């Protein structure tokens, strides 16, 4: 890193400062000023005692000290940059020997304009000093492995002519090709630095260290800055290759602009790298409340051509789901298991793979890479006259309407339809609702059973009642499609379960007792007035309840084991364990690990299972 780079690095950082002795005598003083005399440094020749004069126009400035070789008049490469902020008053930097020449100048940044200026240099000849001292350290770049969370020095030396009274080493972290990051809590134990608190910054990246060594001697505090592996930085080997030691595949997304994805409305061009294969795509943000409340965003991907990824059928449409509020990272995958292996009478449900995501080489954590809900042969395979809608209270699609019983319907696909098709879709859904609320609604031939596919409806209902999914009570992410082959509305696919299974603090969805959907969902409230429908739900539950019970332990544990290693890094990148993330249920402050979140999840499922088993069998 050159001097300019080091300047910008330190300028952006918080500042360490040290107390020292009184000001030097006037005859031993040299002041270094900026051009308008609003900022100055007082230099004492026996030890470079720096004392500042600073105007309110400046936030911080840096003193550059270059040791001059008397024979060549060249600057020593081991220069020192000393940072002052508005709180620091005085810093001491010791000369090593009498007669040594130092060149001193100031870099400073105007608070309002942001302009950076350097003062003219001033030369100072040392009149004394404490003698030679030096600290250095080196380590092989390959010696760092993020799974071990440490870096061990192969060489760590100190050369001193005095015995310090107290010593301390702190450090700065410099990430290659990024803004530098200040960190001052390195602890060196047996020549080893614990880097676990920095995993979120260094995951899969190259980095170097700037170490600050300070010591006290005869009432003075002295500081020295030195680089470690500046030219040959350390590498986090866990982030290299296509599958790290976490066992999850790495997905690398790059935007053409090199900037983060900032919009949910506008597509941005980019590329996707999976297993070394590059795919052209467009990307935009996704999510509603999560987009505004979560710093870890979800994304929608549109490839330039249909592609088979992760052994999933080919398509252009894919998603990256962040699961920010779900600290188990697996609720969506558990529901996927239930929908594909237990309550499996829905035509299709999306598949997801856990991955580690980088966007523009920035590590963003553990994500679900999965299939977007679409009308196509490899997903929801229905004829051209069919359509896909969402019960969606936000009504944020191009075509939305409300039924006579105030159910909000948004058309998802097809995208472009005529006015006559809009009328047709509205009539199909309204007719089904009208029959459901008619006097003959229980009739097996001309009642609601002729308009709704009961197999998919009942399976969808049980999964959502079991999970107490907050959005499933007629708010959003409730998908239905019309299949012209049988002329019925089918429920599914399953979608968006991060705020389910007790991971929420409102609508009583944290409680394991109480019906939710059949009370709040107007169609289901009507359906449960039909004894024949109640019996169908009871029979389906009893048919599958053993598989549900077994899945709580076996499947949740299996999903957790798959994501456990990756979770370490995800929650270093997003340190939210034990912290409130909207809308986490009470007790979050006691759940300080993924394991404790998993146990809460399983216990909630067991209690919910027992309550539903009792209530369903009352029908």
């Amino acid at each position: 890193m050159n001097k300019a780079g080091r300047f910008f690095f330190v300028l952006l950082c918080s500042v360490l400062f040290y107390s020292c002795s009184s000001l030097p005598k006037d005859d031993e003083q040299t002041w270094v000023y900026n051009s308008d005399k609003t900022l100055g440094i007082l230099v004492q020749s026996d030890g470079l005692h720096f004392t500042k004069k600073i105007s309110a126009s400046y936030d911080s400035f840096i003193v550059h000290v270059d040791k001059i070789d008397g024979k060549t008049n060249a600057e020593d490469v081991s220069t020192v940059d000393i940072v002052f902020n508005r709180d620091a008053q005085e810093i001491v930097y010791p000369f090593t020997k009498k007669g040594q020449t130092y060149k001193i100048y100031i870099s400073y940044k105007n608070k309002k304009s942001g302009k950076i200026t350097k003062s003219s240099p001033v030369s100072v000849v040392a009149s004394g000093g404490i003698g030679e001292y030096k600290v250095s350290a080196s380590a092989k770049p390959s010696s760092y492995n993020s799974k071990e969370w440490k870096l061990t020095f192969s060489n760590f030396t100190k050369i001193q002519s005095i015995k310090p009274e107290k010593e301390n080493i702190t450090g700065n972290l410099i990430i290659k090709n990024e803004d530098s990051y200040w960190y001052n809590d390195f602890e060196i134990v047996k020549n080893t630095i614990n880097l676990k608190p920095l995993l979120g910054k260094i995951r899969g990246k190259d980095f170097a260290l700037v170490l600050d060594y300070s010591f006290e001697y005869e009432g003075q505090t002295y500081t020295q800055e030195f680089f470690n592996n500046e030219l040959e930085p350390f590498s986090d080997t866990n982030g290299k290759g296509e599958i790290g030691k976490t066992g999850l595949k790495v997905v690398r997304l790059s935007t053409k602009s090199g900037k983060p994805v900032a919009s949910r409305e506008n597509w941005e061009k980019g590329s996707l790298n999976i297993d070394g294969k590059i795919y052209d795509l467009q990307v935009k943000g996704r999510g509603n409340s999560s987009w505004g409340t979560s710093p870890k965003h979800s994304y929608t991907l549109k490839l330039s051509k249909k592609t088979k990824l992760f052994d999933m059928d080919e398509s252009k449409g894919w998603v990256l789901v962040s699961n920010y509020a779900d600290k188990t990272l697996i609720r969506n995958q558990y529901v996927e298991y239930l929908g594909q292996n237990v309550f499996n009478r829905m035509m299709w449900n999306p598949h997801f793979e856990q991955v580690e995501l980088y966007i523009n080489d920035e590590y963003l954590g553990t994500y679900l890479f999965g299939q977007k809900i679409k009308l196509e042969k490899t997903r929801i395979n229905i004829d051209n006259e069919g359509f896909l809608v969402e019960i969606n209270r936000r009504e944020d699609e191009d075509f939305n309407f409300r039924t006579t019983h105030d159910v909000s319907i948004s058309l998802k696909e097809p995208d472009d339809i005529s006015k006559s098709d809009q009328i047709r879709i509205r009539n199909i859904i309204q007719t089904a609702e009208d029959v459901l609320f008619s006097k003959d609604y229980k009739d097996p031939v001309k009642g609601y059973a002729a308009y709704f596919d009961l197999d998919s409806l009942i399976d969808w209902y049980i999964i959502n009642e079991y999970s107490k999914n907050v959005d499933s009570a007629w708010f959003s992410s409730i998908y239905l499609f019309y299949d012209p082959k049988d002329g019925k509305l089918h429920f599914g696919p399953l979608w968006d379960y991060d705020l389910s299974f007790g991971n929420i603090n409102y609508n009583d969805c944290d409680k394991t007792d109480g019906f939710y959907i059949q009370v709040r969902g107007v169609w289901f409230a009507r359906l449960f007035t039909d004894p024949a429908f109640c019996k169908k739900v009871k029979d389906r539950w009893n048919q599958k309840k053993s598989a549900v019970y077994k899945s709580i332990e076996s499947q949740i544990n299996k999903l957790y084991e798959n994501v456990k290693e990756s979770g370490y890094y995800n929650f270093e990148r997003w340190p939210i364990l034990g912290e409130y993330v909207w809308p986490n249920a009470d007790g979050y402050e006691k759940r300080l690990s993924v394991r404790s979140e998993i146990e809460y999840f399983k216990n909630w499922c067991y209690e919910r299972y027992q309550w539903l088993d009792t209530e369903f069998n009352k029908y």
Side-chain angles (χ1 to χ4, degrees):
M1 180 182 291
N2 58 28
K3 291 179 184 176
R6 284 157 51 193
F7 164 65
F8 284 108
F9 160 66
V10 184
L11 189 63
L12 292 170
C13 301
S14 304
V15 179
L16 296 173
F17 64 94
Y18 304 90
S19 300
C20 60
S21 63
S22 60
L23 297 179
K25 300 175 182 178
D26 289 343
D27 59 357
E28 296 175 333
Q29 296 177 3
T30 300
W31 279 94
V32 181
Y33 285 102
N34 67 335
S35 58
D36 61 5
K37 300 286 186 178
T38 58
L39 185 152
I41 296 295
L42 178 66
V43 180
Q44 180 180 351
S45 59
D46 71 343
L48 293 188
H49 298 241
F50 298 109
T51 304
K52 70 177 182 177
K53 289 182 178 179
I54 187 167
S55 154
S57 301
Y58 301 96
D59 277 331
S60 61
F61 60 93
I62 302 173
V63 180
H64 303 270
V65 182
D66 297 337
K67 187 169 67 175
I68 304 300
D69 185 327
K71 294 180 180 180
T72 64
N73 203 33
E75 297 175 8
D76 191 294
V77 294
S78 58
T79 60
V80 175
D81 294 340
I82 301 172
V83 186
F84 280 86
N85 69 357
R86 296 194 58 80
D87 297 323
Q89 295 300 318
E90 192 173 15
I91 293 178
V92 179
Y93 178 76
F95 292 134
T96 59
K97 61 180 180 180
K98 185 176 181 178
Q100 174 67 56
T101 300
Y102 293 87
K103 185 176 73 175
I104 302 162
Y105 60 96
I106 306 170
S107 295
Y108 48 93
K109 182 177 182 181
N110 188 281
K111 185 175 183 180
K112 294 182 179 179
S113 68
K115 182 180 179 181
I116 297 170
T117 310
K118 289 186 179 180
S119 72
S120 299
V122 171
S123 293
V124 177
V125 178
S127 62
I130 63 169
E132 182 181 25
Y133 81 104
K134 180 181 181 182
V135 179
S136 64
S138 63
K140 295 179 180 179
S142 61
S143 67
Y144 173 66
N145 185 304
S146 61
K147 189 176 182 181
E148 298 172 358
W149 300 327
K150 64 184 180 180
L151 187 151
T152 301
F153 292 105
S154 56
N155 181 43
F156 195 95
T157 59
K158 288 187 292 185
I159 301 173
Q160 296 173 308
S161 57
I162 51 92
K163 184 176 181 180
E165 295 160 2
K166 184 183 292 185
E167 297 177 279
N168 185 42
I169 295 182
T170 57
N172 309 324
L173 178 70
I174 302 172
I175 299 175
K176 187 176 179 181
N177 299 326
E178 293 189 11
D179 289 337
S180 300
Y181 177 70
W182 177 273
Y183 186 77
N184 62 356
D185 282 331
F186 288 147
E187 180 182 2
I188 298 182
V189 179
K190 296 181 180 180
N191 292 359
T192 298
I193 292 177
N194 178 15
L195 295 177
K196 181 177 179 180
L198 290 175
L199 286 182
K201 291 288 183 181
I202 61 181
R203 185 79 174 101
K205 299 176 182 178
D206 296 332
F207 64 96
L209 303 175
V210 181
L211 303 182
D212 291 310
Y213 172 68
S214 68
F215 65 92
E216 294 181 9
Y217 180 69
E218 294 184 348
Q220 302 281 12
T221 299
Y222 300 98
T223 65
Q224 178 188 1
E225 178 185 80
F226 59 98
F227 282 83
N228 187 265
N229 289 51
E230 177 186 4
L231 301 179
E232 189 180 6
F234 304 107
S235 293
D236 173 11
T237 54
N238 255 9
K240 306 301 179 182
E242 299 312 319
I243 301 181
K245 292 186 178 180
T246 67
L248 302 186
K249 285 200 175 185
V250 175
V251 170
R252 298 183 183 274
L253 193 156
S254 300
T255 60
K256 188 175 181 179
S257 67
K259 297 179 181 179
V261 180
S263 172
R264 290 180 297 171
E265 288 76 33
N266 301 319
W267 291 98
E268 184 167 354
K269 292 182 179 180
S271 62
L272 191 69
N273 183 336
I274 302 176
D275 288 335
K277 296 180 180 179
I278 310 297
Y279 309 95
D280 292 332
L281 55 64
Q282 296 181 72
V283 57
K284 65 179 180 179
R286 65 174 295 113
N288 291 296
S289 57
S290 62
W291 183 263
T293 61
S294 165
K296 184 186 179 189
H297 292 150
S298 296
Y299 305 97
T300 297
L301 313 180
K302 183 167 64 176
L303 274 60
S304 59
K305 61 181 181 180
K306 290 186 177 182
T307 305
K308 185 176 182 179
L309 298 174
F310 292 96
D311 294 326
M312 290 182 269
D313 291 330
E314 67 176 13
S315 179
K316 290 183 179 181
W318 305 88
V319 295
L320 282 161
V321 181
S322 69
N323 284 324
Y324 183 69
D326 178 11
K327 297 170 188 174
T328 71
L329 302 173
I330 65 170
R331 281 178 168 87
N332 273 303
Q333 278 193 304
Y334 179 53
V335 171
E336 176 193 336
Y337 172 82
L338 294 175
Q340 293 183 351
N341 297 278
V342 182
F343 300 100
N344 53 3
R345 299 188 304 194
M346 285 167 273
M347 177 186 288
W348 175 85
N349 281 301
H351 176 61
F352 296 97
E353 290 285 343
Q354 296 277 6
V355 301
E356 294 183 347
L357 176 65
Y358 293 76
I359 295 185
N360 298 326
D361 292 326
E362 179 186 3
Y363 172 68
L364 293 182
T366 306
Y367 273 71
L368 284 178
F369 187 98
Q371 297 170 304
K372 183 182 178 182
I373 295 176
K374 288 183 67 65
L375 296 181
E376 57 185 31
K377 291 182 179 180
T378 59
R379 297 187 182 176
I380 304 174
N381 185 14
I382 55 179
D383 293 342
N384 292 336
E385 294 299 311
F387 55 84
L388 172 70
V389 297
E390 176 189 5
I391 296 177
N392 172 25
R393 205 66 177 175
R394 296 185 180 92
E395 299 180 351
D396 50 7
E397 297 295 340
D398 292 335
F399 174 49
N400 310 277
F401 66 92
R402 293 197 181 189
T403 68
T404 56
H405 281 81
D406 201 33
V407 177
S408 298
I409 303 293
S410 295
L411 178 67
K412 304 299 288 187
E413 287 192 272
D415 296 324
D416 298 319
I417 59 170
S418 64
K419 286 290 185 181
S420 60
D421 281 331
Q422 291 182 10
I423 295 171
R424 181 178 66 89
I425 291 170
R426 184 195 294 263
N427 287 341
I428 288 172
I429 294 174
Q430 188 59 63
T431 298
E433 183 184 83
D434 290 344
V435 171
L436 177 61
F437 286 90
S438 69
K439 65 177 182 179
D440 295 324
Y441 76 103
K442 299 178 184 179
D443 190 294
V445 176
K446 58 182 181 180
Y448 64 81
Y451 296 86
F452 292 94
D453 175 72
L454 294 187
D455 285 347
S456 63
L457 183 152
I458 290 171
D459 277 11
W460 182 94
Y461 164 75
I462 293 176
I463 288 174
N464 282 274
E465 191 71 86
Y466 168 50
S467 63
K468 230 177 185 184
N469 178 25
V470 67
D471 290 337
S472 63
W474 259 220
F475 183 72
S476 68
S477 297
I478 304 168
Y479 288 92
L480 304 92
F481 61 87
Y482 174 74
D483 189 346
K485 292 178 182 177
D486 60 12
K488 294 182 180 182
L489 290 170
H490 295 245
F491 270 68
L494 300 166
W495 192 257
D496 199 8
Y497 289 84
D498 57 329
L499 304 184
S500 62
F501 299 103
N503 189 34
I504 192 167
N505 61 0
Y506 62 88
N507 282 359
D508 287 336
C509 286
D510 56 332
K511 296 179 173 59
T512 56
D513 62 343
F515 283 116
Y516 183 61
I517 298 169
Q518 68 169 269
V519 174
R520 293 172 179 258
V522 61
W523 289 356
F524 281 97
R526 178 65 167 174
L527 286 165
F528 274 95
T529 63
D530 179 10
F533 180 80
C534 295
K535 184 177 186 305
K536 288 179 184 295
V537 171
K538 172 185 174 180
D539 291 345
R540 183 61 170 167
W541 169 258
N542 286 331
Q543 181 187 18
K544 294 294 182 177
K545 69 178 185 180
S546 176
V548 173
Y549 189 84
K550 290 177 182 178
S551 73
I552 297 173
E553 194 69 28
S554 61
Q555 190 61 26
I556 291 178
N557 284 345
K558 180 180 178 180
L559 293 170
Y560 167 62
E561 287 298 321
N562 180 52
V563 79
K564 181 169 65 174
E565 288 293 326
S566 181
Y568 289 136
Y569 305 112
N570 180 83
F571 291 109
E572 292 291 346
R573 178 64 177 86
W574 309 104
I576 57 174
L577 291 172
E579 302 291 330
Y580 177 72
V581 174
W582 181 89
N584 291 164
D586 291 346
Y588 62 86
E589 71 279 0
K590 299 177 182 178
R591 299 191 288 272
L592 303 178
S593 66
V594 181
R595 180 78 255 180
S596 62
E597 287 284 352
I598 291 290
E599 290 304 313
Y600 169 77
F601 178 19
K602 290 196 299 185
N603 289 336
W604 193 97
C605 289
Y606 279 124
E607 291 182 15
R608 183 65 174 162
Y609 170 92
Q610 295 294 348
W611 189 89
L612 284 177
D613 188 43
T614 299
E615 295 302 314
F616 282 155
N617 279 291
K618 290 179 179 178
Y619 292 131

